[in-house]
Amino acid sequence: LMTTISLLFTGELLDRVSRWRAMSTIDELIMIIPVVLNLKGNLEMNLSARMGTAANMGELDDRSAQRKIVGGNLALLQVQATVVAFVAACVAMLLGLLVPELSSGPVDPFPQNSTLSLTARLPRPPPPLGGKPKSGLIEFTMVASSAMMSACLSSIVLGSFMCFLVIICRRYGHNIAPPIASCLGDLVTLSLLGVISSILINVVNTPIPLICVILTILSATVCVFLVRRNNSVKDLIYQGWVPLFGAMVISCATGIVLDMFASRYEGFPLLAIVISGLPGSVGSIFVSRLSTALHAASANACLHKSEPSPKLVMVTLTVITIPIEILFLCTLRAFGWLKLPIIFAILSVLFFCCAVFTSLVVARWLTNFLWSKGRDPDTYALPIHSALMDLIGQLLLVLCFEIISLLGMNL
């Protein structure tokens, strides 16, 4: 429920941010949103897992060790966020060169008397008063500075909060850090990306964005030295990059889908953030349970046998999420954020069920496959799974819109 509430406001924010001046001027800023959100979410999940393990092993009980572990993890998070955001900006610019006309789209296929307001094309806002960036290099520095600064600031805020929360949870015997991290991560990062890009677009043809990129890289370089001097995290700086960048490649396709349909269909970003986010969260829970069971089985077979069967867990998670999706659609209509035709509501619930089922099947197969190859599913499965579900969820939503469009044309 907490995740869905957060996704609800994140989707509404994404729907608004996609129409802001910066996003309407530089399409790559929209393309980069799924990439940055997905990779930042993976970084914070890994941080949550590391800190939770340290807490359960009692390593955070000593104050001096606690400061060392927390400081090292926060420095590591800054390095990872900077590298991930910079590479994401490079990929977004490359995609912008390869597919420069994605956002323009074809002429509106719907008749003027169509009553399906949900599928009405929304025109792009006019470019900013200062015009577009004068060159591709300036455009790249704009995208890179926005992504890197938002990722780093988000890492500072969320990383500090996560470490504090894990310590409090350890003290009082609870384990609420991971769901709270998933609730706040996308919302905070998207807010920062929207605000920073809106500020920088006013000075896009000045050296200020380039200066921001240089300062962010220098800050990450200092953090590299801090990490290398910290025995508790120095080995982690070389690990976990393969699944992160594998997820980034998948997220690039998601960014293209979002850029193509965010302005074409009213409410697409608002719905996309939930139809991909919630099944992804359910799959992450399943990956975590399966991974824990596999680790337990390797140490204690009796503990593994006491766990419920994977099929029962899949059914339970599916049954739990369907009422949440229905509640989400009802909330959208109650708040007046979207006018949902009844046919669309029914189809969206059906496609949501398909997304949840796909998420659980992929989670089970991916976890077992990685375990058979000697890889830790907690590190390798979660990034790939979350990126896949972002893409699958948005493609299912596109299919839902297209079906409604065809029905609208036949009316």
Side-chain angles (χ1 to χ4, degrees):
L1 284 172
M2 293 172 63
T3 301
T4 305
I5 293 172
S6 173
L7 290 172
L8 176 67
F9 288 101
T10 303
E12 172 66 12
L13 178 62
L14 177 58
D15 195 33
R16 295 177 182 273
V17 167
S18 64
R19 305 168 195 277
W20 287 3
R21 203 172 71 176
M23 303 291 173
S24 65
T25 306
I26 303 176
D27 290 335
E28 289 79 6
L29 285 173
I30 295 182
M31 290 184 184
I32 207 174
I33 288 176
V35 184
V36 172
L37 295 189
N38 181 272
L39 294 181
K40 278 291 284 93
N42 291 327
L43 292 179
E44 282 138 17
M45 280 193 294
N46 290 339
L47 173 64
S48 173
R50 289 196 304 270
M51 293 299 296
T53 300
N56 291 328
M57 294 177 64
E59 297 176 1
L60 298 181
D61 295 340
D62 181 71
R63 289 296 178 87
S64 60
Q66 181 185 109
R67 287 193 294 268
K68 188 176 182 180
I69 293 173
V70 170
N73 275 281
L74 290 179
L76 176 64
L77 193 62
Q78 287 297 298
V79 177
Q80 293 173 327
T82 303
V83 173
V84 160
F86 181 79
V87 174
C90 294
V91 173
M93 293 303 299
L94 179 62
L95 290 175
L97 294 175
L98 295 176
V99 282
E101 301 299 329
L102 278 178
S103 298
S104 57
V107 179
D108 187 358
F110 304 108
Q112 293 184 356
N113 61 351
S114 174
T115 58
L116 295 176
S117 62
L118 188 62
T119 56
R121 177 188 298 278
L122 296 180
R124 285 275 186 178
L129 298 177
K132 291 190 175 184
K134 296 179 180 179
S135 69
L137 180 60
I138 293 177
E139 193 173 69
F140 171 73
T141 57
M142 170 67 188
V143 176
S145 58
S146 299
M148 293 167 68
M149 290 182 66
S150 61
C152 291
L153 290 175
S154 174
S155 296
I156 294 173
V157 174
L158 293 171
S160 302
F161 178 72
M162 277 294 305
C163 293
F164 170 77
L165 191 61
V166 169
I167 294 172
I168 295 298
C169 290
R170 169 66 177 173
R171 181 173 301 177
Y172 293 100
H174 298 294
N175 187 27
I176 61 173
I180 290 184
S182 65
C183 291
L184 297 177
D186 287 354
L187 191 60
V188 173
T189 304
L190 180 58
S191 300
L192 289 171
L193 180 60
V195 171
I196 291 172
S197 62
S198 296
I199 294 173
L200 292 179
I201 194 64
N202 297 307
V203 292
V204 65
N205 291 313
T206 70
I208 293 179
L210 179 60
I211 294 173
C212 292
V213 171
I214 294 173
L215 291 177
T216 307
I217 293 175
L218 290 176
S219 174
T221 303
V222 173
C223 290
V224 169
F225 288 104
L226 294 176
V227 171
R228 289 174 62 89
R229 295 174 57 184
N230 192 313
N231 293 328
S232 61
V233 295
K234 66 179 182 179
D235 294 333
L236 297 175
I237 199 170
Y238 305 108
Q239 301 175 6
W241 294 105
V242 173
L244 282 176
F245 288 118
M248 184 190 68
V249 173
I250 301 172
S251 295
C252 290
T254 310
I256 294 175
V257 174
L258 180 62
D259 187 55
M260 289 178 65
F261 294 97
S263 61
R264 182 176 301 183
Y265 297 129
E266 181 181 354
F268 184 88
L270 179 60
L271 293 166
I273 203 78
V274 172
I275 199 172
S276 58
L278 189 55
S281 298
V282 170
S284 298
I285 294 172
F286 196 34
V287 168
S288 180
R289 289 186 60 88
L290 291 172
S291 179
T292 300
L294 290 170
H295 281 288
S298 65
N300 188 332
C302 294
L303 179 61
H304 177 59
K305 291 178 181 178
S306 65
E307 290 290 312
S309 67
K311 291 183 180 180
L312 178 59
V313 175
M314 293 174 69
V315 173
T316 303
L317 291 174
T318 303
V319 171
I320 288 174
T321 53
I322 293 175
I324 295 177
E325 169 70 4
I326 296 174
L327 179 62
F328 165 72
L329 295 175
C330 293
T331 304
L332 290 183
R333 188 170 183 86
F335 285 179
W337 288 350
L338 279 180
K339 296 179 181 179
L340 293 170
I342 186 63
I343 299 178
F344 181 88
I346 295 173
L347 285 175
S348 63
V349 172
L350 292 177
F351 280 113
F352 175 81
C353 293
C354 294
V356 172
F357 177 76
T358 304
S359 175
L360 295 173
V361 171
V362 170
R364 185 176 183 181
W365 177 85
L366 192 59
T367 303
N368 292 330
F369 174 78
L370 291 170
W371 182 263
S372 67
K373 299 299 181 181
R375 303 291 184 179
D376 186 0
D378 285 332
T379 301
Y380 286 84
L382 289 175
I384 300 298
H385 177 271
S386 61
L388 278 174
M389 286 317 304
D390 283 345
L391 178 59
I392 293 172
Q394 291 201 21
L395 290 176
L396 288 173
L397 184 59
V398 169
L399 180 60
C400 186
F401 272 108
E402 291 296 326
I403 293 175
I404 292 297
S405 302
L406 293 176
L407 294 177
M409 292 178 66
N410 294 329
L411 289 177

